[in-house]
Amino acid sequence: MALREFKLPDPGEGLTEADIVTWHVAVGDTVKVNDVVVEVETAKSLVELPVPFAGTVSALHVAEGDTVEVGTPIITVDDGVGGASAPAAPEPAAEVAAAAPAAPAAPAEPAPAAGDGEEIGEGLIGGTTSTGRTAVLVGYGVKQTEAVRRPRRGVSVPSAAEEPADEPAPAPSGGGPVLAKPPVRKLAKDLGVDLTTVTPSGDGGVVTRADVEAAASGAAAPDATSGGARASDATRADDGARETRVPVKGVRKMTAQAMVGSAFTAPHVTEWVTVDVTATMELVEKLKRDKEFRDVKVTPLLVLAKAMCVAVRRNPEINASWDEDAQEIVLKHYVNLGIAAATPRGLVVPNVKDADRMTMRELADAIAALTATAREGRIPPADMSGGTITITNVGVFGVDAGTPILNPGESAILAFGSVTRRPWVVGSGADERIEPRWVKTLALSFDHRLVDGELGSRYLADVAALLADPARGLVWG
């Protein structure tokens, strides 16, 4: 037999590690070329990794919840080919950092074919499959393949709670593997608690955080059958603890580092304007009834997105970045419009490429697809990079406005507040009167190294004018 190691591929964009989220195989399972065996979370997104060779899983080297460096072996597959253990699949030069030392190699055996006799090896994380999922592009430079979406034939998929160790430890009763979620297993590891000795209290025999903490303190675990409170992976308000520590990793870690870097590198200036957007709200209602927009969600955010692109055309210097090394301002002749989206894994800012070249309908489709994919945690890294200007919609939380922090590499970000009914003075002279109108506040933060007060004010005023009277877009566009 030949044992083949699959190492964590390079996710690109300077990322050097990833967190193991869910194993989809266990020791003894049979896998085929390109079967997805594990989900990992990088600082950019959740990614499915397909295995580049076929055989029987002989070992899982890392557990769910572990943070793994690029180049570390994560799974070993017995390909069933006679001979000594084979080395891991060849790695693209200069693309896998911190690679683990390879085992002594016998003459390499051909890897299983991908259907046409061409060998498949390790590669880069990136791109999307036909289903929109992030995939790993693999190959020796001969061909590229896509990750196969579940269900996967020939792969036994354990439940999300199963312990994916190399050899599943028996439960206290000896009847099966220990059931515990990754954060709970991580806590047990930190506290030095052997999960096989813990009595589970969660539904279905799942070991909970409270069980581990009780075992660590020598106390009895709460009785699940007597109304004991269930533990949450993140916090527990009823276990007597006065503090809870939540590890910062993946997307949250990257966001924190990026925001600190942005706040203390770019001199932020924020300007505010409150505008009557009654005409925008009327336009939204008309578009909802328009047959061209029948199958798409139309919101005020869509009108704002279009308005920002039109305003960039009138104020192109706002769509720029600062090159610190060259001490130059880089003007972008395209608009990659970022849409900040809150996800279970933290704040992400995917962007719509070339948004300024899209029709309103095309922009609506692109925003809907992008935000939906982002909230599912499936946004590919390519959609997270290259943004030029960003919208953050705080209005969905009922917030009027805020002082947003710039997305790194951009010069402006606009906070879109809630739309509310307020008394507003309309008309002029003898016709002046107070009416209930739809009103909202916009807040624009910009980098004062390359955007001065005049440019920032003109851009914000133009966006506000387009929301107050969308018909201006026909003239300015």
Side-chain angles (χ1 to χ4, degrees):
M1 67 177 181
L3 300 179
R4 305 174 66 85
E5 288 183 342
F6 178 42
K7 298 178 180 180
L8 180 69
D10 181 2
E13 300 191 27
L15 304 179
T16 60
E17 63 183 23
D19 300 328
I20 304 300
V21 177
T22 306
W23 280 107
H24 296 315
V25 295
V27 174
D29 286 345
T30 300
V31 295
K32 296 182 176 68
V33 173
N34 284 337
D35 277 346
V36 175
V37 295
V38 66
E39 285 185 347
V40 302
E41 181 184 14
T42 71
K44 297 288 187 180
S45 63
L46 196 66
V47 180
E48 292 182 330
L49 299 185
V51 67
F53 26 73
T56 302
V57 177
S58 62
L60 302 180
H61 300 295
V62 292
E64 292 179 355
D66 287 354
T67 299
V68 182
E69 293 186 356
V70 167
T72 301
I74 59 176
I75 184 174
T76 295
V77 175
D78 179 1
D79 65 8
V81 179
S85 296
E91 298 162 5
E95 287 187 346
V96 177
E109 297 287 349
D116 56 5
E118 295 181 86
E119 188 169 335
I120 304 301
E122 297 180 42
L124 293 175
I125 296 174
T128 56
T129 67
S130 59
T131 62
R133 289 176 175 267
T134 302
V136 177
L137 301 181
V138 295
Y140 298 151
V142 177
K143 67 176 291 184
Q144 293 180 333
T145 61
E146 293 182 336
V148 180
R149 187 175 185 179
R150 285 168 288 176
R152 292 172 296 282
R153 293 171 300 192
V155 178
S156 173
V157 182
S159 65
E162 285 185 8
E163 179 80 359
D166 292 352
E167 295 181 6
S173 62
V178 174
L179 303 182
K181 294 183 179 180
V184 176
R185 296 210 323 274
K186 176 67 165 57
L187 176 64
K189 180 179 178 181
D190 293 342
L191 296 179
V193 175
D194 183 355
L195 284 175
T196 63
T197 66
V198 178
T199 302
S201 65
D203 291 347
V206 175
V207 176
T208 68
R209 175 179 288 270
D211 298 333
V212 173
E213 292 172 343
S217 64
D223 184 359
T225 62
S226 61
R230 294 185 60 186
S232 163
D233 288 343
T235 60
R236 277 183 57 85
D238 56 351
D239 61 1
R242 293 173 64 85
E243 294 181 349
T244 298
R245 292 181 177 268
V246 179
V248 178
K249 57 201 319 186
V251 173
R252 292 183 187 276
K253 182 178 179 180
M254 178 62 75
T255 300
Q257 293 173 344
M259 292 300 98
V260 170
S262 176
F264 291 97
T265 300
H268 284 57
V269 173
T270 303
E271 292 187 343
W272 311 63
V273 63
T274 301
V275 58
D276 176 0
V277 294
T278 303
T280 288
M281 300 304 290
E282 293 172 350
L283 174 61
V284 167
E285 292 304 315
K286 289 179 181 178
L287 292 178
K288 288 179 179 179
R289 297 190 298 268
D290 192 311
K291 63 180 181 179
E292 186 175 348
F293 290 82
R294 178 177 50 201
D295 301 323
V296 70
K297 184 177 181 180
V298 179
T299 67
L301 177 66
L302 172 61
V303 182
L304 173 66
K306 189 64 176 180
M308 289 181 66
C309 292
V310 173
V312 164
R313 192 174 297 121
R314 286 170 54 85
N315 306 275
E317 298 88 354
I318 198 78
N319 191 52
S321 63
W322 178 270
D323 187 332
E324 180 64 28
D325 294 335
Q327 292 292 294
E328 294 176 340
I329 296 173
V330 182
L331 298 178
K332 310 294 178 64
H333 303 301
Y334 55 90
V335 177
N336 289 348
L337 183 63
I339 308 291
T343 75
R345 289 180 168 80
L347 180 69
V348 297
V349 188
N351 59 81
V352 178
K353 308 298 185 187
D354 296 317
D356 55 320
R357 301 180 183 179
M358 294 183 176
T359 65
M360 185 82 87
R361 172 58 199 252
E362 291 171 341
L363 192 56
D365 289 335
I367 291 174
L370 201 66
T371 54
T373 306
R375 291 192 179 103
E376 292 172 0
R378 305 289 180 182
I379 198 73
D383 286 346
M384 299 281 288
S385 61
T388 63
I389 192 168
T390 292
I391 300 172
T392 177
N393 185 8
V394 298
V396 295
F397 306 107
V399 175
D400 289 336
T403 54
I405 298 176
L406 293 167
N407 206 30
E410 301 178 13
S411 64
I413 180 172
L414 192 145
F416 189 53
S418 61
V419 181
T420 57
R421 293 287 278 176
R422 304 184 197 174
W424 199 259
V425 177
V426 298
S428 61
D431 191 38
E432 190 174 86
R433 63 197 182 278
I434 296 177
E435 291 183 358
R437 307 286 286 183
W438 290 108
V439 177
K440 82 168 6 294
T441 299
L442 304 174
L444 180 73
S445 290
F446 50 87
D447 185 343
H448 217 326
R449 292 175 298 180
L450 59 159
V451 179
D452 59 25
E454 178 187 7
L455 173 59
S457 299
R458 283 194 285 105
Y459 179 77
L460 181 59
D462 281 352
V463 173
L466 287 165
L467 295 182
D469 182 9
R472 292 175 184 263
L474 294 174
V475 179
W476 294 352

